[in-house]
C-alpha cells in the first residue's frame, strides 16, 4: 500500500500539470466546493450583508450599523468582525467561484475530448483498460460467433472490425452527436459565472435613494440620467399600516423626458440596462404654520440626515429616530420622534411623538402624538402637521444579467435534454485470452457507465451466450477508480 502511494506521489511530482488537472476533474472536489459555497450563500441569507454602496456612504453605513446592533445587540460587533456581514464579496466566495469555473472548464474539455476520440477511426480503446471481462462459453465456436456479430452490426448500426478475417473481433458503438448535450449544462454554468463576472467588473448599484414627490435625483455614475418622482400613490389600512404603494418616475436627459413608468413593490421599471426598484417607503412629516392673521410662518428643518431635505418636511428611516423643526419667528423648536407603535399609549400603528421647546429651555412647553394629521393652536399660531411618505429607490446597472439568464436557461435545457440523450460510446472486443474466448467491455469516463454495462449484458444475451455462464470480472483501472 505504501509503495503504491509512493509511486502515485512520485508520478504527480513528475507531472504536476496532470496532477492539477486530475484534482480539478475530481468529483469530490466539486461536491466539497459546491457545499461550501451553498453554506456561504445560506449564511448570507441569515445575516444582513454590507453592500458596496452602503460601505462607501458614511451616513448609510452608520444607519446600517445601528440597525445591525439593534438586531443582534452586543454580538453585532462579533458578527461583523467574523466577516458574516460581507460573505458575498469576501475573498473566500471569489475563490470558490474561481475554482468552480476551472472545474467546469476541465470537465467540458474532458468530455469534448472523449467525444472527439470516439469519432476517430483509430482504436482508442486499446489505450484504455477494460471495464468488464466476461468469459464466453467454450461451446460457442468461432464459426457461429462471427455471423452473430454480423447480424448485430446490421440491427444496431454498429461497426465490426476483424483481424485478418478472424478473431479478435471488435464491435464499436460510436458516440452520437446527441451526446454533446452532456456538456451543455457545464457551458451554461460557465455562462452564468461569466455574467456574474461582468456585473462585478462593470456593474454598479445605487440604493437607499430618498426621493419625495416632485424631487429629482441625478445618477452618480455618469449616465446623465435624472430621476424625478412625479407622483406617489399610497394605500393604508384602518390602523395606518401600509398596504401598498406605487411611484410614477420620470427619466430625463438634458431636460428632455426619455422614459416614464411605474415602480411598485413587485413591479420594477426597466430602462435600457438600468433597473429601478422600490423596496420600501420612508415616513415623513410636513409642517405648516400660520400666525394670528393667517400669514404663513417660515418653517426650517434641522435634520442633516438627507441633503435633499425638502423645506418644512422631515424624513425618518428607523424607529426611534429624531428630527427637528424650527420656527425662528417664535423662537420655537419641535422635536419629533418616530415609533412603529406605542402600545402603552394605545397606538398600534406608526406614531410620532411631538414636543415643543422654547429657545434655551430644557423642558418641553407642549407635547402631543401624531398619527396621520392634526391641527393645533400654540402660542397664538396654527400648526398643521400631516404624515406623508417618500420613495426609497434602488437603481441597478447589470450588463451581465442576460448572460445569467441564458446560463440558467441553458442549465435547465441541458439537464432536461440529458434524459433523452443518446447512449455513450462503447466497445466490446472478442478475443482468445489464455486459451478461452472472452468478451471485454471498454467505455470512456472515470465513473461506471450503467448504460454501457447494460448494453454489454444485452449484447451477450443476444449472441445466445449463457447469461449465467460466469460472473463478470470488474477490472482495475489504474488511476481511474470505478
Amino acid at each position: 500500500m505504501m509503495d503504491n502511494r509512493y509511486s502515485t506521489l512520485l508520478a504527480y511530482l513528475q507531472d504536476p500539470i496532470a496532477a492539477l488537472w486530475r484534482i480539478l476533474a475530481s468529483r469530490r472536489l466539486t461536491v466539497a466546493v459546491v457545499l461550501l459555497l451553498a453554506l456561504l450563500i445560506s449564511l448570507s441569507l441569515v445575516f444582513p450583508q454590507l453592500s458596496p454602496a452602503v460601505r462607501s456612504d458614511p451616513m448609510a453605513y452608520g444607519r446600517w450599523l445601528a440597525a445591525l446592533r439593534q438586531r443582534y445587540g452586543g454580538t453585532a460587533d462579533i458578527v461583523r468582525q467574523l466577516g458574516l456581514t460581507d460573505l458575498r464579496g469576501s475573498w473566500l466566495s471569489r475563490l470558490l467561484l474561481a475554482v468552480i469555473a476551472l472545474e467546469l472548464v476541465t470537465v467540458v474539455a474532458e468530455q469534448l475530448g472523449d467525444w472527439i476520440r470516439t469519432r476517430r477511426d483509430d482504436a482508442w480503446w486499446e489505450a484504455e483498460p477494460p471495464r468488464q471481462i466476461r468469459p464466453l462459453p467454450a461451446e460457442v465456436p468461432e464459426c457461429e460467433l462471427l455471423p452473430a456479430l454480423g447480424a448485430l452490426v446490421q440491427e444496431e448500426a454498429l461497426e465490426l472490425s476483424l483481424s485478418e478475417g478472424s478473431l479478435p473481433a471488435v464491435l464499436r458503438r460510436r458516440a452520437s452527436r446527441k451526446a454533446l448535450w452532456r456538456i451543455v449544462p457545464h457551458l451554461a454554468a460557465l455562462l452564468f459565472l461569466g455574467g456574474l463576472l461582468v456585473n462585478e467588473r462593470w456593474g454598479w448599484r445605487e440604493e437607499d435613494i430618498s426621493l419625495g414627490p416632485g424631487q429629482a435625483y441625478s445618477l452618480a455614475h455618469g449616465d446623465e440620467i435624472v430621476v424625478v418622482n412625479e407622483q406617489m400613490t399610497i394605500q393604508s389600512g384602518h390602523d395606518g399600516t401600509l398596504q401598498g404603494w406605487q411611484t410614477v418616475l420620470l427619466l430625463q436627459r438634458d431636460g428632455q423626458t426619455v422614459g416614464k413608468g411605474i415602480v411598485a413593490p413587485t413591479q420594477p421599471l426597466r430602462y435600457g440596462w438600468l433597473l429601478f426598484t422600490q423596496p420600501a417607503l420612508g415616513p415623513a412629516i410636513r409642517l405648516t404654520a400660520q400666525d394670528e392673521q393667517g400669514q404663513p410662518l417660515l418653517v426650517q428643518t434641522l435634520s442633516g440626515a438627507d441633503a435633499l431635505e425638502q423645506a418644512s418636511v422631515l424624513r425618518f428611516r428607523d424607529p426611534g429616530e429624531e428630527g427637528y423643526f424650527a420656527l425662528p419667528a417664535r423662537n420655537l423648536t419641535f422635536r419629533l420622534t418616530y415609533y412603529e407603535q406605542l402600545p402603552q399609549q394605545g397606538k398600534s400603528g406608526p406614531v410620532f411623538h411631538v414636543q415643543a421647546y422654547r429657545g434655551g429651555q430644557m423642558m418641553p412647553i407642549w407635547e402631543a402624538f401624531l398619527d396621520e394629521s392634526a391641527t393645533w393652536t400654540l402660542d397664538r399660531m396654527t400648526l398643521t402637521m400631516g404624515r406623508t411618505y417618500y420613495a426609497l429607490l434602488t437603481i441597478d446597472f447589470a450588463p451581465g444579467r442576460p448572460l445569467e439568464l441564458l446560463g440558467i436557461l441553458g442549465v435547465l435545457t441541458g439537464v432536461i435534454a440529458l434524459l433523452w440523450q443518446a447512449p455513450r460510446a462503447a466497445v466490446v472486443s472478442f478475443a482468445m485470452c489464455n486459451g478461452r474466448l472472452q468478451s471485454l467491455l471498454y467505455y470512456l469516463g472515470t465513473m461506471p457507465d450503467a448504460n454501457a454495462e447494460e448494453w454489454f449484458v444485452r449484447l451477450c444475451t443476444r449472441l445466445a451466450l449463457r447469461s449465467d455462464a460466469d460472473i463478470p470480472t470488474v477490472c482495475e483501472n489504474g488511476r481511474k477508480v470505478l
Side-chain angles (χ1 to χ4, degrees), residues 208-230:
D208 287 339
I209 300 173
S210 303
L211 207 59
Q215 284 192 313
Y217 173 81
S218 297
L219 297 187
H221 286 81
D223 284 351
E224 300 179 353
I225 294 291
V226 177
V227 185
V228 181
N229 183 344
E230 185 182 45

Side-chain angles (χ1 to χ4, degrees), residues 279-457:
L281 288 179
I285 296 296
R286 182 186 300 274
L287 171 63
T288 59
Q290 295 178 339
D291 59 16
E292 51 268 51
Q293 284 81 31
Q295 299 298 317
L297 295 174
L298 175 64
V299 177
Q300 295 179 340
T301 56
L302 302 180
S303 173
D306 193 344
L308 297 177
E309 197 74 69
Q310 287 179 297
S312 72
V313 175
L314 276 179
R315 295 176 180 171
F316 298 84
R317 294 293 300 271
D318 304 307
E321 185 177 350
E322 297 181 353
Y324 295 87
F325 285 118
L327 273 71
R330 299 300 173 94
N331 195 24
L332 288 176
T333 301
F334 294 87
R335 182 175 71 177
L336 283 74
T337 308
Y338 169 57
Y339 299 96
E340 286 189 338
Q341 57 182 355
L342 283 176
Q344 63 273 23
Q345 300 293 333
K347 308 292 185 181
S348 59
V351 63
F352 295 84
H353 185 204
V354 185
Q355 294 175 304
Y357 292 84
R358 186 78 67 183
Q361 297 182 1
M362 299 297 295
M363 298 299 294
I365 63 173
W366 173 86
E367 62 181 340
F369 290 95
L370 175 66
D371 295 325
E372 289 288 341
S373 61
T375 299
W376 300 292
T377 301
L378 176 66
D379 197 20
R380 303 189 312 278
M381 62 180 177
T382 302
L383 303 175
T384 301
M385 286 190 184
R387 187 172 65 183
T388 182
Y389 292 93
Y390 61 94
L392 283 171
L393 299 177
T394 298
I395 305 176
D396 288 283
F397 174 68
R401 187 158 294 160
L403 296 179
E404 296 175 359
L405 295 178
L406 287 176
I408 295 174
L409 181 61
V411 169
L412 295 177
T413 304
V415 170
I416 294 174
L418 286 177
L419 300 177
W420 292 278
Q421 68 169 336
R424 295 176 64 183
V427 164
V428 177
S429 176
F430 301 91
M432 297 297 297
C433 299
N434 299 324
R436 292 200 61 180
L437 182 62
Q438 293 183 337
S439 59
L440 298 87
L441 171 67
Y442 303 81
Y443 58 81
L444 290 178
T446 59
M447 298 294 289
D449 189 340
N451 180 278
E453 293 171 1
E454 292 175 1
W455 175 76
F456 179 52
V457 174

